[in-house]
Amino acid sequence: MPSPFKVYRGPVRPTRGTPSRRIVLAVLATVFLVLVVFPWLASFATDWLWFREIHFESVFLRSLIARALLFVVTGGVAFVFIYGNWRLARPPVDLPTLIMNPESGVRLDVARFIPKLTLAAGVFVALVAALVGSAQWMPALMFLHGVPVGEADPLFGRDIGFYLFELPAVAGALSALVSFTLVALIGSVVLYATRGDITLLPRRVTIHVRPARHLGALLALLFVLFSAQLWLVDSASLLYSTTGPLVGASYADAHVLLTGIRVSAVAGLLAAALVVYGALREKLVWFAFLAVVGYAAIGVVSRALVPVAEQKFVVAPNELARERPYLQLHIAATRRAWRLDSIATRDLEGDVQLSMADIRANAPTIDNVRLWERDLLKQTFGQLQEIRTYYDFASVNDDRYVIDGRYRQVHLSARELNTASLPTRNFINERLTFTHGMGVAMAPVNEVTAEGLPVLFIKDLPPVSTISIKVTRPQIYYGQLTNSYVFVGTGQKEFDYPAGDRNVYTNYSGRGGVPIGTFPRRALYAWQLGSTDILLSSYLARDTRILYRRNILDRARTALPFLDFDTEPYLVVTDSGALKWILDGYTTSSNWPYAQTAGDGVTNYVRNSVKVVIDAYDGTVVAYLTDPGDPLVRTYAAIFGAIFTPMAAMPKDLRAHLRYPGDLFRQQTALYATYHMVDPDAFYHREDQWQYPGIEKGTPNANPFMRHIIMRLPGEATPEFIYMTPFTPRGKDNLAAWMAARMDGANYGKLVAYRFPKQSLVYGPKQIANRINQETDISQQLTLWDQKGSSVIRGELLVIPINESLIYVQPLYLRAEGGTIPELKRVVVAHENRVVMAETLEAGLAALFGAGAAAPPRATLAATDSATARLPNAAVNNSQAALLQEAQQHYDRAMTAQRAGDWATYGREIAEVGRVLRQLRDRR
């Protein structure tokens, strides 16, 4: 059977583009414009307008210029280098034409096909390289603008700024060059094989002289690049090694592996010289084989076998003695990178007996004990203060205010608009009418109504305040739930708040938003947002503005893309009554030598160097510089210019509400549990390692004992707002220490660790929780509530430092069957081995520390229901029997009112029960 293929050696006939080909090209160009060019231009234009609105143009322009330059340079270098090498290796134009079918005359013109293919492949590879390279715009800018840290690494003596700013860019550039060289080498080999310049014989491979020199040059360049990577990058990576019992270069790394890396680097240069020699001697294959095998063998021996043997047979049997100096370096670097070296330590006596005088002397602490859990309070706010289905409370935050002359801790939550809950969802409602949330709910952390509900300082719509703090600008256009764009200044009135049977409307008068009154602007945003309503709606006027990127975290991350942000933004009511969001911005790095990484396994350096303030009405973004000594933020300032505002310019009413960031405090305390040990021997044996107190299974909070509190720290004269957490010894339940982050005035940002003596027993949260569970009186009361159709919710156990001792407080909530509102019903108070339960915190403290309260070794049940109160074993006289009967009647009426949902009557009857029981107590 004859072959369908035939070689045609005649002249190559030029072909002209047919009309159908021109049509295909036009269609492809149109698709490219519609799917790539137009969307990019629209995104570019809308981003520019948004950055100009918030006055962060330098971030947009410099990142854009850096991306564009890297795209052009990386793509250009890749194309010139790769395609240039392929062009040298591609077949000549007189290569025979392959005829696919002699009868039809269909030909495969190899001479024309391969050049076009190599050109297309070169463009594609260059495009990919350009895209990857442009994504490295921030390392490139940090390389150019990095500032010195002023500290040297302990292994090479380089300034740490080299690792933070220069090494990432150098490593990226070397990796790119290695990739380009590999692609060029592989493609050139294929093309030379197509030409027939590389011949595979049974026992050898032959290469013509010119191709051999070309391929030899590429292979030699590859070895040189490998050597550069080893000398600069791989040796530096030892500073983050995990070979030994630490992060950083260990004994084996510093004494053996580093030498092996340098030997391999020299071997790479020798391999390159060997390849060049082989190419010149026309014996490339043989010498290239020797170079590759030799380089690989030296690398395996010097960088794998010898270091492993050193670690196993020399270091491991004497690990502590060998690693002691490197442990010291690791401990010091970790404490420096995470700012643990600035934590002050104080020793406590631990066995201090508290009295009522001590309780009274710490009245600000007692007056601000947090009895309401934030999750439960959020549910209560949702039932009592959402008012309409389209309002939601996204979160509840702790803060402190001077209220009517008193320093008070409060819970604060923004009432935001949730457009997903609108009864009718359409363009008019979602984009023009329902544009903003309204006001806040504020409650003290420790006050309860007679019905067991939180007292509300600020409530309702429009916000009504019963205290000295007033909200004068309650509209929330920018928040945590504002994930969609809206239009203001339109022909449609904006819904403000409901007022009985009617609605109150408003018009936006802030500075936020991008003008969209002209037809080109409307067309631009219609294209970008995919909504023809923007183009066709008659409600949009010349003064109309579009508000987008209204979610505060998204807004901050877009404006400052080089920062990480804390997961808990918080709202502040200023002295003028405006609402401002505060977000904590972090500068982070994974390149601090010898430092331990965080829980993500990557980050090993963090600073809270920026506080971002976003106006809930205007959306204005101000980034305040809080740590000007941070080398990372100094580098960002050098890159982007004057985007940071000095901390001194922050208004006093905002500075008074700054909080120590929660995510950072959690990371620091988790590390400090181990890195408070600075002695390398103690660190190696972990003999004094701490941990967070043990918690019950199913608790959503990883550390429920970490919380904000107003208290007077030991040795201090005035109360202050702090963030604190206790520690227990690893594997034990007694307390070892507690740590506080201070937040007020000049003490903001200071960390203090208070340590209990090791020889004394200080009960920990788990031990106290067990004692509470073992108390018969308390368990009986909880069982009684559960049996009556209600569910008992145990609040988180609060650790309250008082002087140099501790008390524990646990609120108990009751939720009626089928109900959604939890009510605070009892408070458990404990000190050392004594536990009491009472209706209020004050009653519990009085029972615990009042006259004669120190004697009972078991729990005292104060002011509880008569059905479970235990009376003395002495005979009960007639008057006592009458009081018992009266208490039973009040109790029965209270239970009837509870089942009927009449909480006012329930509160009155329970109060009567307490009154009668107090009379009984007085007659004992």
Side-chain angles (χ1 to χ4, degrees):
M1 180 177 178
S3 172
F5 302 103
K6 177 182 176 183
V7 175
Y8 174 75
R9 297 186 179 275
V12 177
R13 298 177 181 178
T15 59
R16 296 182 180 180
T18 62
S20 59
R21 181 180 298 180
R22 289 195 293 269
I23 292 174
V24 170
L25 292 176
V27 170
L28 291 176
T30 303
V31 170
F32 180 75
L33 288 173
V34 172
L35 297 183
V36 178
V37 177
F38 289 165
W40 184 85
L41 290 175
S43 177
F44 168 83
T46 54
D47 284 347
W48 165 249
L49 293 172
W50 184 84
F51 275 95
R52 192 173 66 174
E53 174 209 346
I54 64 171
H55 305 296
F56 275 68
E57 297 95 330
S58 64
V59 174
F60 177 81
L61 289 175
R62 295 182 189 185
S63 63
L64 177 68
I65 293 171
R67 285 189 178 101
L69 288 176
L70 282 173
F71 185 91
V72 172
V73 172
T74 307
V77 170
F79 180 78
V80 170
F81 182 79
I82 294 172
Y83 181 69
N85 280 279
W86 288 354
R87 185 179 176 87
L88 289 175
R90 74 186 186 187
V93 295
D94 59 349
L95 196 70
T97 300
L98 189 63
I99 300 178
M100 304 297 294
N101 190 330
E103 296 179 0
S104 63
V106 177
R107 296 183 177 92
L108 178 62
D109 193 346
V110 177
R112 291 182 179 273
F113 173 74
I114 290 183
K116 293 179 180 178
L117 179 62
T118 55
L119 178 60
V123 170
F124 175 77
V125 172
L127 180 62
V128 172
L131 292 173
V132 173
S134 65
Q136 303 303 311
W137 63 276
M138 181 52 73
L141 289 176
M142 295 177 75
F143 175 84
L144 296 174
H145 298 276
V147 300
V149 175
E151 301 177 34
D153 79 89
L155 189 61
F156 302 105
R158 302 188 187 106
D159 187 273
I160 292 179
F162 170 80
Y163 305 98
L164 297 180
F165 309 122
E166 298 177 24
L167 185 61
V170 171
L174 287 174
S175 296
L177 291 175
V178 168
S179 300
F180 297 165
T181 306
L182 276 173
V183 172
L185 178 61
I186 293 171
S188 297
V189 169
V190 172
L191 289 170
Y192 279 126
T194 303
R195 294 175 49 151
D197 290 336
I198 300 177
T199 306
L200 298 176
L201 299 177
R203 292 181 177 271
R204 59 192 179 91
V205 179
T206 62
I207 306 177
H208 293 179
V209 175
R210 179 175 170 275
R213 292 179 178 179
H214 180 200
L215 296 178
L218 289 175
L219 185 57
L221 176 61
L222 192 61
F223 278 122
V224 171
L225 292 174
F226 284 158
S227 296
Q229 281 186 316
L230 286 165
W231 196 270
L232 292 175
V233 181
D234 289 21
S235 61
S237 67
L238 294 180
L239 296 170
Y240 318 103
S241 169
T242 55
T243 301
L246 62 137
V247 173
S250 62
Y251 180 90
D253 293 328
H255 289 80
V256 178
L257 184 53
L258 177 59
T259 302
I261 290 174
R262 289 174 173 171
V263 168
S264 291
V266 174
L269 295 178
L270 293 177
L274 195 62
V275 169
V276 172
Y277 178 77
L280 294 176
R281 293 292 303 272
E282 300 182 13
K283 295 181 180 180
L284 174 65
V285 176
W286 172 245
F287 282 96
F289 175 78
L290 290 179
V292 171
V293 172
Y295 175 77
I298 291 174
V300 169
V301 172
S302 64
R303 288 186 284 145
L305 297 181
V306 174
V308 168
E310 176 78 9
Q311 179 67 30
K312 184 174 182 179
F313 299 112
V314 178
V315 177
N318 307 281
E319 190 172 52
L320 179 57
R322 300 283 188 180
E323 303 289 12
R324 185 178 285 112
Y326 302 98
L327 284 170
Q328 288 179 322
L329 296 175
H330 170 64
I331 294 169
T334 300
R335 289 171 62 88
R336 174 73 177 90
W338 291 95
R339 216 169 66 84
L340 306 182
D341 56 348
S342 66
I343 298 176
T345 57
R346 305 283 188 272
D347 291 325
L348 303 174
E349 294 183 15
D351 56 353
V352 174
Q353 295 291 324
L354 296 178
S355 65
M356 184 55 74
D358 295 317
I359 299 300
R360 294 193 183 100
N362 288 271
T365 302
I366 302 302
D367 291 344
N368 289 283
V369 172
R370 196 176 93 179
L371 299 181
W372 282 103
E373 298 299 328
R374 294 196 295 188
D375 290 341
L376 295 177
L377 188 63
K378 181 176 177 291
Q379 298 174 26
T380 304
F381 280 171
Q383 293 297 316
L384 301 180
Q385 283 296 300
E386 282 184 1
I387 300 177
R388 292 291 187 270
T389 58
Y390 40 77
Y391 288 125
D392 270 338
F393 292 98
S395 62
V396 177
N397 294 300
D398 290 274
D399 206 346
R400 70 284 198 196
Y401 288 84
V402 177
I403 298 174
D404 300 324
R406 296 175 58 195
Y407 196 46
R408 302 290 302 274
Q409 184 175 344
V410 299
H411 290 302
L412 185 68
S413 185
R415 185 186 293 104
E416 297 195 53
L417 181 72
N418 186 353
T419 55
S421 299
L422 288 173
T424 303
R425 299 186 62 184
N426 53 43
F427 180 78
I428 301 298
N429 280 346
E430 293 187 62
R431 310 300 182 192
L432 308 180
T433 305
F434 293 92
T435 57
H436 58 274
M438 171 58 67
V440 299
M442 179 187 286
V445 297
N446 65 326
E447 291 191 22
V448 185
T449 66
E451 294 80 16
L453 300 176
V455 172
L456 294 176
F457 283 166
I458 302 178
K459 59 182 179 179
D460 298 341
L461 292 174
V464 176
S465 175
T466 61
I467 55 175
S468 55
I469 299 173
K470 309 296 180 183
V471 179
T472 59
R473 179 73 79 180
Q475 292 83 4
I476 300 174
Y477 285 85
Y478 300 85
Q480 294 176 279
L481 299 179
T482 49
N483 298 315
S484 60
Y485 63 92
V486 296
F487 298 94
V488 296
T490 68
Q492 175 68 22
K493 294 181 179 179
E494 297 177 53
F495 173 81
D496 205 24
Y497 59 88
D501 295 333
R502 64 185 184 86
N503 293 328
V504 176
Y505 294 88
T506 187
N507 289 313
Y508 182 74
S509 58
R511 297 173 294 173
V514 175
I516 196 176
T518 62
F519 180 81
R521 287 280 181 92
R522 291 172 64 174
L524 171 65
Y525 282 94
W527 173 280
Q528 179 67 9
L529 300 174
S531 174
T532 57
D533 292 326
I534 298 175
L535 197 61
L536 302 177
S537 176
S538 61
Y539 291 100
L540 303 187
R542 289 196 63 85
D543 296 331
T544 297
R545 279 178 286 170
I546 180 172
L547 280 56
Y548 57 108
R549 290 199 182 108
R550 298 191 300 140
N551 182 285
I552 53 174
L553 273 174
D554 177 50
R555 197 170 182 84
R557 287 168 179 160
T558 306
L560 302 161
F562 43 85
L563 297 181
D564 293 330
F565 286 92
D566 196 88
T567 55
E568 297 182 5
Y570 51 98
L571 190 66
V572 172
V573 182
T574 67
D575 290 349
S576 63
L579 301 178
K580 307 272 189 179
W581 294 98
I582 298 181
L583 298 86
D584 288 287
Y586 301 121
T587 56
T588 62
S589 177
S590 58
N591 297 314
W592 192 276
Y594 271 97
Q596 177 66 41
T597 59
D600 60 4
V602 177
T603 304
N604 68 359
Y605 173 91
V606 175
R607 289 292 184 273
N608 176 216
S609 298
V610 180
K611 301 281 187 182
V612 177
V613 178
I614 299 178
D615 192 293
Y617 188 74
D618 285 334
T620 53
V621 180
V622 183
Y624 292 98
L625 183 60
T626 60
D627 187 359
D630 172 27
L632 284 172
V633 83
R634 287 163 53 205
T635 298
Y636 294 141
I639 294 172
F640 298 107
I643 61 171
F644 298 117
T645 302
M647 194 63 190
M650 178 180 281
K652 291 182 179 179
D653 55 350
L654 288 179
R655 296 192 68 170
H657 295 281
L658 293 181
R659 296 190 336 194
Y660 197 85
D663 290 346
L664 177 59
F665 190 64
R666 280 184 282 273
Q667 291 175 340
Q668 288 177 314
T669 53
L671 288 168
Y672 191 73
T674 300
Y675 289 88
H676 70 276
M677 298 179 288
V678 295
D679 178 71
D681 289 40
F683 181 89
Y684 179 82
H685 295 297
R686 299 294 198 268
E687 60 186 43
D688 191 26
Q689 188 174 15
W690 300 340
Q691 65 182 21
Y692 293 141
I695 59 175
E696 297 181 2
K697 293 182 179 179
T699 303
N701 191 347
N703 182 9
F705 310 104
M706 183 179 293
R707 60 187 59 252
H708 296 92
I709 185 174
I710 288 179
M711 64 168 291
R712 182 169 59 84
L713 293 172
E716 300 294 333
T718 58
E720 53 189 292
F721 190 61
I722 66 166
Y723 203 20
M724 67 87 64
T725 186
F727 295 103
T728 63
R730 186 170 180 263
K732 302 293 183 181
D733 293 328
N734 58 290
L735 274 193
W738 58 276
M739 184 171 161
R742 307 175 72 176
M743 305 191 196
D744 288 349
N747 292 320
Y748 175 84
K750 294 181 179 179
L751 302 177
V752 188
Y754 296 90
R755 301 180 298 193
F756 293 108
K758 296 180 181 179
Q759 65 273 15
S760 64
L761 173 63
V762 179
Y763 287 108
K766 192 172 183 179
Q767 294 169 318
I768 294 296
N770 290 336
R771 292 192 62 83
I772 294 173
N773 294 334
Q774 293 167 2
E775 290 300 335
T776 306
D777 298 318
I778 296 177
S779 62
Q780 286 180 348
Q781 178 66 76
L782 300 183
T783 302
L784 176 64
W785 277 332
D786 280 330
Q787 290 176 347
K788 291 187 174 292
S790 300
S791 60
V792 177
I793 303 173
R794 295 193 178 198
E796 294 175 351
L797 187 61
L798 311 178
V799 183
I800 312 296
I802 300 290
N803 292 347
E804 296 198 4
S805 186
L806 299 166
I807 64 172
Y808 290 88
V809 175
Q810 184 176 42
L812 300 177
Y813 310 90
L814 195 65
R815 178 182 285 147
E817 184 177 5
T820 57
I821 302 178
E823 301 170 8
L824 180 63
K825 288 303 177 185
R826 294 290 186 271
V827 179
V828 178
V829 187
H831 175 59
E832 294 187 340
N833 63 343
R834 290 175 289 148
V835 181
V836 303
M837 184 171 74
E839 289 187 358
T840 63
L841 175 61
E842 292 76 11
L845 292 171
L848 195 63
F849 297 106
R858 68 175 187 87
T860 301
L861 190 58
T864 188
D865 301 320
S866 60
T868 59
R870 295 190 173 188
L871 300 177
N873 294 327
V876 180
N877 57 31
N878 292 336
S879 61
Q880 289 176 323
L883 288 173
L884 281 173
Q885 184 178 5
E886 182 183 356
Q888 184 66 50
Q889 292 171 351
H890 285 300
Y891 176 79
D892 292 339
R893 286 196 288 268
M895 292 300 100
T896 301
Q898 183 191 45
R899 287 190 290 271
D902 185 358
W903 299 110
T905 302
Y906 173 82
R908 288 194 299 269
E909 295 299 334
I910 287 295
E912 290 297 315
V913 171
R915 179 185 60 79
V916 174
L917 288 177
R918 285 191 290 273
Q919 292 182 18
L920 273 172
R921 184 188 60 191
D922 294 338
R923 296 189 183 191
R924 291 177 60 181

